[in-house]
Amino acid sequence: MAADWLGSLVSINCGATLGVYQGEVSSVDQSSQTISLRQPFHNGVKCPVPEVTFSAMDIKELKVLDIGSSRGGVVQKSSAPVSVPHIGDHRTQERLASPQQQCSTSSGDKHLEVSGQPKGFRRRHNSWSSSSRGANQVTPKKNGGGGGGWGQRQHRDDECFGGNMDDSLDTDFDFEGNLALFDKAAVFSQIDGSDRHGNGARSRAMPQVQTSSQYRHNDNILETKPVGYRQILVPHPGDKEYCTDWGLVVPSISYELHKRLLSVAERHGLSLERRLEMTGVCASQMALTLLGGPNRLTPKNVHQRPTVALLCGPHVQGAQGISCGRHLANHEVEVILFLPNFVKVLDAVASELTLYSKTEGKRVSSIKELPDSPVDLIINCLDCHENTFLMDQPWYRAAADWANQNRAPVLSLDPPVSGQGHAVEAKWTLSLGLPLSLSEGAGRVYLCDIGVPRQVFQEVGIKYHSPFGCKFVVPLHSA
């Protein structure tokens, strides 16, 4: 009878000290009460020796895992857990299995079935045992799965993705039909009716706004009153009216009112020196913009410095031009100042010349010393409001002819009114405070803020509101 168990796979529990051994029965000696295992595994690890012999005194429990092929049949085993070796050749791993499985032979193929899971047992998913099996390893299947692996895969799909899915999901959604259920015109008509009568849910939740105007996306709906575009009123307006980019009306004034305004401002502390400095700063800022601004005046562009020619006379307008030339020279602009050697000039002109001489600007007193090639910009300060006889002087006519023949754009600074004419055709004109009635030869008119307070305007009878906004120089358009 002992020879009948040769070749069977058994598991021998030798207690906590020696551990559990598994292997193929190679010999059984009834006289000495010993049993030997071939290719043994000790606690799941293959032993280095080919055979191990056990005495009956050391065996605590012996379980048959697989009966030798010579006997056949099925043996019921205990459900107690036994370690299964995970190393060794494929032939041994095929024959060694856990005690929770049953062994049956049908048509020469082996199939393992799970007979039960004891407490503490945990199925391992996505492990080597299920995803990395060799070609000769068996694949466990569900109980009663007579169709091989297909039934197991179908069961897993049902567990992961759910069974008995709703077939209505295969039907395409009818967008057009659903949209037709919404009557947009009727809904908006109901909203408008509830707003008018005050009996709708919207009227109860929101305050009534009595307005009939329809606002555009760029309209300011928070304004409480219309904007007054005529915010400057003068007692005796000139012949022309201008407007800013925002539509604010700026009327022209006569030279008499302009002179009175400056006189009152000087009495309140706005001296001629302050006005000259303010005019020079604003005029130079406008000239720098006309020369290209940051696109040209950069530290990396020192080899292409712009050239500006200043044509000045011995009057206040000439002093304003000299102040502008000083600021331009401070901004790395090549300035050429033309001013004849007069016997007597104003104190303001002499003071501005002293400051200008401290810069790198150049001064010439003859037309022959002006460049023959075109310059970048000409600033005309030849004309005077009060002394019109200067236009008959030879130096004036020579300077005007040079400016008209140089083919450079001209910026006229504070020119006289249109009745006196202009010897130099300007492209731009800069007026101070409020514009005068200028002729068409003045070009495009700009307005400069020289710092006259509002109360000074009111003292001379002008209702004034600043049209400059955030700037000191604004363009004016013919109204």
Side-chain angles (χ1 to χ4, degrees):
M1 294 294 295
D4 295 339
W5 298 101
L6 297 179
S8 301
L9 297 179
V10 297
S11 174
I12 300 176
N13 187 359
C14 299
T17 303
L18 298 179
V20 179
Y21 287 82
Q22 295 172 333
E24 181 181 351
V25 179
S26 58
S27 64
V28 177
D29 190 351
Q30 295 182 354
S31 60
S32 61
Q33 294 291 308
T34 60
I35 183 172
S36 299
L37 301 182
R38 186 187 302 114
Q39 295 180 355
F41 286 83
H42 179 218
N43 294 331
V45 180
K46 188 174 182 179
C47 297
V49 294
E51 187 174 301
V52 179
T53 302
F54 300 91
S55 174
M57 299 177 59
D58 299 328
I59 298 175
K60 303 297 182 181
E61 183 181 10
L62 189 149
K63 297 179 181 179
V64 179
L65 303 179
D66 190 7
I67 301 176
S69 58
S70 59
R71 290 201 35 129
V74 178
V75 177
Q76 298 291 336
K77 297 170 288 297
S78 173
S79 60
V82 179
S83 300
V84 179
H86 294 283
I87 60 176
D89 57 351
H90 295 295
R91 183 179 60 84
T92 305
Q93 293 180 6
E94 291 177 7
R95 302 182 63 182
L96 293 179
S98 61
Q100 290 81 13
Q101 298 175 340
Q102 294 180 350
C103 177
S104 61
T105 57
S106 175
S107 302
D109 297 333
K110 295 183 178 180
H111 301 282
L112 302 180
E113 295 184 356
V114 180
S115 60
Q117 294 183 355
K119 183 178 180 181
F121 179 83
R122 182 177 180 182
R123 182 187 299 273
R124 297 179 61 191
H125 294 280
N126 298 329
S127 61
W128 179 89
S129 59
S130 60
S131 60
S132 303
R133 298 183 178 91
N136 298 326
Q137 288 180 311
V138 296
T139 303
K141 65 178 181 178
K142 299 294 180 180
N143 290 334
W150 182 87
Q152 179 185 2
R153 290 194 300 270
Q154 181 67 25
H155 185 74
R156 285 202 305 263
D157 293 342
D158 293 341
E159 290 180 351
C160 294
F161 303 104
N164 299 326
M165 297 182 64
D166 191 2
D167 296 336
S168 62
L169 296 179
D170 297 335
T171 306
D172 294 337
F173 183 75
D174 187 5
F175 289 95
E176 296 182 358
N178 185 74
L179 185 61
L181 300 177
F182 176 69
D183 192 350
K184 183 177 179 180
V187 171
F188 277 94
S189 176
Q190 182 180 2
I191 294 175
D192 295 338
S194 62
D195 289 342
R196 285 193 298 268
H197 300 290
N199 54 1
R202 183 181 178 184
S203 62
R204 292 192 298 269
M206 300 178 60
Q208 294 294 323
V209 179
Q210 297 180 358
T211 177
S212 59
S213 60
Q214 298 295 328
Y215 295 102
R216 292 174 53 85
H217 66 281
N218 57 351
D219 290 342
N220 184 12
I221 63 175
L222 299 180
E223 61 185 27
T224 57
K225 60 181 180 179
V227 178
Y229 292 100
R230 191 174 294 274
Q231 300 179 358
I232 302 176
L233 300 177
V234 298
H236 302 288
D239 299 335
K240 290 187 176 182
E241 281 189 346
Y242 302 91
C243 63
T244 64
D245 292 337
W246 292 98
L248 300 178
V249 178
V250 180
S252 63
I253 59 176
S254 61
Y255 175 69
E256 289 75 15
L257 184 58
H258 176 76
K259 184 169 60 173
R260 183 185 172 192
L261 177 64
L262 296 181
S263 176
V264 175
E266 187 171 356
R267 190 175 71 248
H268 285 282
L270 189 62
S271 62
L272 177 61
E273 290 77 11
R274 288 190 175 185
R275 298 200 307 269
L276 290 177
E277 189 69 18
M278 192 69 180
T279 304
V281 171
C282 294
S284 61
Q285 182 64 50
M286 180 178 177
L288 291 173
T289 303
L290 296 176
L291 292 173
N295 296 325
R296 185 173 184 182
L297 298 171
T298 59
K300 298 182 179 180
N301 198 22
V302 293
H303 63 286
Q304 293 181 342
R305 295 171 58 185
T307 303
V308 176
L310 276 165
L311 307 179
C312 300
H315 39 65
V316 176
Q317 282 71 25
Q320 294 171 352
I322 299 173
S323 175
C324 175
R326 171 168 53 90
H327 290 290
L328 290 177
N330 291 336
H331 286 266
E332 305 297 331
V333 177
E334 293 185 2
V335 180
I336 303 175
L337 171 61
F338 168 76
L339 181 66
N341 292 324
F342 297 102
V343 177
K344 184 180 180 180
V345 295
L346 295 176
D347 294 339
V349 176
S351 300
E352 292 296 333
L353 281 176
T354 303
L355 290 174
Y356 178 79
S357 63
K358 306 303 179 181
T359 65
E360 296 182 358
K362 181 181 178 182
R363 178 191 173 185
V364 297
S365 58
S366 174
I367 296 298
K368 297 180 181 180
E369 299 180 67
L370 292 174
D372 297 332
S373 60
V375 295
D376 293 277
L377 180 65
I378 297 175
I379 299 179
N380 178 25
C381 303
L382 297 173
D383 299 299
C384 179
H385 292 284
E386 298 177 353
N387 190 358
T388 59
F389 298 101
L390 292 176
M391 299 180 65
D392 299 331
Q393 299 293 327
W395 63 268
Y396 183 97
R397 292 196 302 267
D401 293 340
W402 179 88
N404 292 328
Q405 296 175 4
N406 191 263
R407 301 192 304 273
V410 178
L411 170 62
S412 184
L413 185 57
D414 192 18
V417 294
S418 59
Q420 300 179 5
H422 301 283
V424 179
E425 295 294 331
K427 187 174 182 179
W428 306 283
T429 291
L430 184 61
S431 296
L432 310 181
L434 287 176
L436 304 176
S437 298
L438 303 175
S439 63
E440 296 297 332
R444 186 171 183 181
V445 181
Y446 285 77
L447 189 63
C448 168
D449 184 11
I450 57 176
V452 179
R454 179 182 296 184
Q455 291 185 2
V456 176
F457 284 100
Q458 294 177 357
E459 189 171 340
V460 297
I462 299 176
K463 181 182 178 182
Y464 181 81
H465 185 81
S466 175
F468 295 99
C470 62
K471 301 180 180 179
F472 284 88
V473 178
V474 294
L476 297 181
H477 311 277
S478 299

